[in-house]
């Protein structure tokens, strides 16, 4: 690994020297600025070996650094060569600080298709001279780079989308007209999927057709996408108001917007768009992607689809947990084989399309790697009397799931310190699930609710508590997240958010408990001064009773856990075969 990546780093430095640059920025994302990228967009993995879903690298002639957040501290150390890469924390030791220390006044190149304006502005404050490039030098050094994906798109049926695409286009166009804007750049393929009611096959785990769009104030759309992705059925679904162009037509179309007011989301759009529009003489109107918030607030059909998807998913989870209970301590199973067994159970379900992300299947010390992914090199046996963490999800035509359970393999009893920490994580998980809060409260305001039981013992976790989840779209969806680092965007009814506090002891084990929650209006109470929201728990899977210290739970917490387990049994028990149902009855017995 070290030799290969050393050669790649040397090849990039040769390209930089040939262009007169002192360095280059390498983000994790591709031109669509999303979390998941196709093989052709895995630039950071190609140059460094790091395969996590978030990060950035900076390469100078004499040194290089890679920046990741707390989820990937252990992973980046395992996957990168310390002789080649300095490892830095993305927020505690940000790239701008590193540039200020090592590259002030130097010419640092960047690909304007791979960075939003806001990111470049922050990095430019370092004193480095940031230079937009026409040709990406890493791409020039990358021999054998995979071709861009050409997965076939498909219409999302109205029974699952809940609203007709023409109705959505008209509503979003009205938003633009009210703001005095002639058009809006849609650089996020999730927004295009939602607006046009299409899904695609360009990514393994997120059903996107990768492309760009221009939404006009007359409700028409210019769609920039490889025509091979759009067959006659999809073109008929799109209708005459959606005109398809190749991506290469973008410069000419944008040039035609001279003198017009164009909305552009500076946080989610490549800086190339802003630069091209300015050069064309358009008036830029910075503002949020108009589809982002409506997409996050699921309509009644999408909410019903989420409940149905979670019910089916719960059947696979119950079958897996039953299987695991009899195989975990017997030996012979590995992290990969266990994840494969859960996937096999999901594949039996109606409307299942794919995993919503690569399953995080971590036994023992690997469970302490927050976003661990077992490989043939790292895969290890699941042993008796240890902790096992499985975080997984499914993409169904009617909804997206994401669930984490931490399990004890047995047959012996778990150690008291593990039980105490698991119970504290569970208490935080329950606290968020049962929270009532005023409308207008945002994700950062409620993050501490899930951490409080851990804080009481001097413990914490280095990741957010919750993220948004799409409707047969991305398992990680904005704009709201439950995190102290998140933007304070209010939680709204219809949003689906995860509830996943955790605790990680490096070299020993990881604990995380995750359900998905649907935000809804809370019933009014006597004398209530303003509207409140509450959460409906969508996920249906029992907790491992062996890891719960009942004495640490309050009566209300114990009552909630018992009621939840009873609900799991009542809702999915009748649809399970007798042996699994019998196991579930024991797993869901009152504490």
């Amino acid at each position: 690994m070290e030799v290969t990546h050393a050669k790649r780093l040397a090849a990039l430095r040769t390209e930089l020297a040939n262009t007169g640059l002192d360095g280059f920025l390498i983000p994790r994302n591709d031109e669509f600025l999303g979390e998941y990228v196709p093989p052709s967009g895995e630039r950071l993995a190609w140059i460094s070996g790091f395969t996590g879903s978030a990060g950035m690298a900076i390469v100078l002639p004499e040194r290089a650094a890679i920046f990741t957040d707390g989820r990937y501290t252990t992973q980046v150390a395992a996957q990168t060569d310390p002789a080649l890469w300095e490892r830095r924390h993305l927020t505690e030791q940000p790239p701008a600080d590193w540039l200020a220390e090592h590259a002030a006044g130097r010419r640092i190149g960047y690909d304007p298709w791979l960075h939003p304006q806001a990111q470049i502005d922050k990095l430019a404050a370092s004193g480095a001279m940031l230079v937009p490039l026409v040709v990406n030098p890493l791409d020039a050094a990358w021999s054998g780079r995979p071709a861009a994906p050409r997965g076939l798109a498909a219409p999302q049926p109205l029974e699952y989308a809940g609203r007709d695409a023409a109705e959505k286009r008209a509503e979003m166009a009205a938003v633009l007209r009210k703001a005095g804007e002639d058009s809006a750049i849609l650089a996020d393929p999730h927004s295009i999927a939602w607006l046009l009611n299409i899904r695609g096959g360009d990514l393994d785990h997120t059903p996107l057709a990768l492309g760009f769009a221009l939404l006009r104030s007359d409700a028409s759309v210019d769609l920039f996408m490889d025509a091979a992705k759009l067959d006659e059925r999809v073109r008929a679904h799109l209708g005459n108001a959606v005109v398809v162009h190749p991506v290469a037509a973008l410069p000419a179309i944008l040039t035609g917007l001279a003198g017009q007011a164009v909305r552009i989301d500076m946080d989610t759009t490549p800086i190339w768009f802003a630069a091209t529009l300015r050069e064309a003489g358009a008036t830029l109107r910075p503002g949020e992607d108009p589809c982002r918030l409506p997409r996050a607030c699921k309509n009644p059909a999408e909410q019903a689809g989420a409940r149905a998807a979670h019910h089916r998913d719960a059947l696979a989870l119950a079958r897996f947990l039953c299987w695991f209970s009899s195989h975990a301590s017997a030996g012979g199973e590995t992290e990969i084989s266990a994840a494969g067994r859960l996937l096999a159970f999901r594949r039996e379900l109606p409307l299942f399309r794919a995993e919503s992300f690569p399953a995080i299947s971590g036994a023992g010390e690997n469970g302490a790697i927050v976003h661990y992914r077992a490989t043939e090199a790292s895969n290890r046996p699941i042993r008796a009397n240890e902790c096992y963490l499985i975080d997984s999800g499914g993409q169904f035509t009617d909804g997206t799931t994401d669930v984490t359970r931490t399990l004890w393999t047995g047959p012996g009893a778990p150690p008291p310190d593990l039980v105490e920490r698991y119970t504290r994580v569970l208490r935080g998980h329950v606290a968020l699930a049962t929270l009532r809060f005023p409308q207008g409260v945002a994700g950062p305001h409620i993050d501490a609710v899930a951490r409080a039981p851990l804080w009481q013992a001097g413990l914490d976790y280095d990741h957010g508590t919750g993220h948004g989840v799409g409707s047969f779209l991305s398992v990680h969806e904005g704009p709201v997240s439950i995190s102290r680092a998140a933007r304070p965007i209010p939680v709204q009814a219809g949003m689906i958010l995860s509830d996943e506090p955790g605790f990680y002891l490096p070299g020993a084990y990881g604990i995380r408990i995750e359900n998905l929650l649907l935000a809804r209006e809370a019933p009014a109470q006597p004398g209530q001064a303003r509207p409140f929201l509450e959460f409906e728990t969508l996920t249906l899977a029992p907790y491992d009773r062996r890891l719960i210290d009942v004495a640490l739970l309050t009566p209300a917490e114990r009552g909630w856990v018992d009621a939840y387990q009873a609900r799991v049994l009542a809702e999915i028990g009748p649809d399970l075969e007798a042996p699994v149902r019998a196991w579930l009855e024991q797993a869901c017995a009152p504490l």
Side-chain angles (χ1 to χ4, degrees):
M1 177 187 76
E2 292 80 1
V3 172
T4 299
H5 292 105
K7 289 182 177 178
R8 292 175 179 178
L9 197 55
L12 174 59
R13 284 176 167 141
T14 298
E15 291 290 336
L16 295 178
N18 291 339
T19 54
L21 293 169
D22 299 311
F24 186 62
L25 307 178
I26 308 167
R28 162 60 172 73
N29 52 266
D30 62 4
E31 63 268 37
F32 303 103
L33 306 188
E35 178 181 8
Y36 296 108
V37 301
S40 58
E42 290 280 10
R43 294 177 177 88
L44 186 58
W46 180 83
I47 194 71
S48 70
F50 171 66
T51 61
S53 64
M56 173 182 282
I58 305 174
V59 175
L60 303 179
E62 72 284 2
R63 66 198 311 158
I66 186 165
F67 303 81
T68 59
D69 62 31
R71 297 172 296 172
Y72 295 114
T73 302
T74 305
Q75 182 175 338
V76 74
Q79 292 184 324
T80 60
D81 183 354
L84 302 176
W85 298 96
E86 301 172 30
R87 290 83 168 254
R88 295 291 183 266
H89 195 288
L90 195 58
T91 54
E92 296 174 3
Q93 302 164 303
D97 290 357
W98 194 87
L99 281 172
E101 181 179 355
H102 301 293
R106 303 175 75 176
R107 289 169 47 84
I108 307 300
Y110 70 92
D111 186 335
W113 281 97
L114 304 181
H115 300 266
Q117 178 80 55
Q119 185 180 69
I120 292 300
D121 289 345
K122 186 179 297 185
L123 294 173
S126 67
M129 186 184 304
L130 301 186
V131 182
L133 305 176
V134 175
V135 177
N136 187 314
L138 186 148
D139 293 352
W142 187 351
S143 61
R145 181 183 170 209
R150 304 177 76 184
L152 194 63
Q156 175 71 341
L158 184 59
E159 65 180 298
Y160 304 128
R163 298 180 62 200
D164 184 76
E167 178 186 346
K168 293 180 182 178
R169 286 191 287 104
E171 181 181 314
M172 296 300 100
V175 170
L176 298 183
R177 292 195 300 270
K178 184 177 180 180
E181 297 163 349
D182 298 295
S183 60
I185 300 293
L186 301 183
D188 184 351
H190 299 86
S191 290
I192 298 170
W194 175 85
L195 181 67
L196 303 181
N197 286 347
I198 60 172
R199 300 296 188 265
D202 284 338
L203 299 177
D204 290 338
H205 306 286
T206 308
L208 293 176
L210 297 177
F212 302 101
L214 180 71
L215 169 64
R216 298 182 186 264
S217 59
D218 64 358
S220 67
V221 170
D222 292 282
L223 179 62
F224 302 90
M225 189 174 289
D226 189 332
K229 301 178 185 180
L230 307 170
D231 61 16
E232 292 183 5
R233 181 172 68 115
V234 176
R235 288 178 180 267
H237 164 79
L238 293 173
N240 295 330
V242 179
V243 181
V244 179
H245 310 271
V247 175
L250 261 171
I253 298 292
L254 295 190
T255 299
L257 302 179
Q260 298 186 27
V262 183
R263 179 184 293 207
I264 183 168
D265 191 326
M266 296 298 192
D267 293 326
T268 63
T269 305
I271 196 173
W272 179 90
F273 283 87
T276 303
L277 287 167
R278 287 192 188 99
E279 186 176 345
T283 300
L284 268 59
R285 294 283 187 84
E288 187 165 78
D289 177 338
C291 302
R292 197 174 188 211
L293 186 58
R295 184 177 83 237
C297 298
K298 311 300 184 288
N299 62 49
E302 291 171 322
Q303 294 179 30
R307 293 187 188 97
H310 278 84
H311 178 93
R312 290 194 305 278
D313 202 46
L315 302 177
L317 290 167
R319 289 165 181 146
F320 169 78
L321 293 172
C322 175
W323 169 86
F324 189 85
S325 68
S326 61
H327 287 74
S329 62
E333 299 297 336
T334 68
E335 295 166 330
I336 289 179
S337 71
R341 176 68 65 162
L342 177 53
L343 177 57
F345 284 127
R346 280 196 169 107
R347 282 178 171 154
E348 297 173 353
L349 301 173
L351 303 184
F352 177 76
R353 296 292 175 263
E355 290 180 291
S356 55
F357 57 96
I360 299 168
S361 174
E365 69 283 357
N366 287 341
I369 304 172
V370 179
H371 271 202
Y372 172 73
R373 183 177 182 182
T375 65
E376 292 298 335
S378 70
N379 184 37
R380 85 167 193 53
I382 298 174
R383 305 184 181 104
N385 297 319
E386 69 176 359
C387 205
Y388 172 71
L389 186 152
I390 177 73
D391 183 347
S392 67
Q395 290 285 11
F396 300 85
T397 309
D398 53 353
T400 301
T401 70
D402 182 6
V403 52
T404 308
R405 288 296 180 265
T406 302
L407 310 171
W408 180 247
T409 60
D417 66 316
L418 172 63
V419 172
E420 178 196 352
R421 290 165 177 172
Y422 178 94
T423 306
R424 289 186 182 277
V425 172
L426 177 62
R427 290 184 63 203
H429 171 84
V430 172
L432 185 58
T434 58
L435 186 67
R436 283 174 51 96
F437 53 98
Q439 289 188 12
V441 165
H445 303 148
I446 59 178
D447 178 74
V449 169
R451 297 179 188 269
L454 286 163
W455 286 352
Q456 290 168 355
L459 308 174
D460 199 8
Y461 49 95
D462 196 8
H463 60 73
T465 298
H467 55 81
V469 176
S471 179
F472 189 37
L473 276 173
S474 178
V475 74
H476 294 149
E477 177 180 84
V480 170
S481 65
I482 303 173
S483 166
R484 51 194 164 198
R487 293 168 56 198
I489 300 172
V491 177
Q492 295 189 28
M495 290 181 173
I496 297 176
L497 299 165
S498 69
D499 172 9
E500 49 180 312
F503 174 76
Y504 310 89
L505 186 62
Y509 58 79
I511 301 166
R512 187 162 64 251
I513 306 172
E514 177 186 18
N515 287 346
L516 296 192
L517 309 176
L518 172 64
R520 64 187 182 189
E521 294 181 6
Q525 294 181 343
Q528 184 169 304
R530 58 188 298 185
F532 272 62
L533 297 176
E534 64 181 10
F535 291 121
E536 170 191 343
T537 298
L538 297 173
T539 306
L540 299 169
Y543 307 112
D544 193 331
R545 299 169 77 253
R546 295 168 295 179
L547 290 171
I548 301 174
D549 183 347
V550 178
L552 282 180
L553 301 178
T554 67
E557 290 165 347
R558 178 175 179 173
W560 187 91
V561 172
D562 281 344
Y564 173 78
Q565 306 266 72
R567 177 189 163 207
V568 171
L569 179 60
E571 292 195 18
I572 69 171
D575 296 328
L576 291 168
E577 49 278 11
V580 179
R581 186 167 61 249
W583 172 86
L584 188 65
E585 288 173 352
Q586 292 185 338
C588 292
L591 296 177

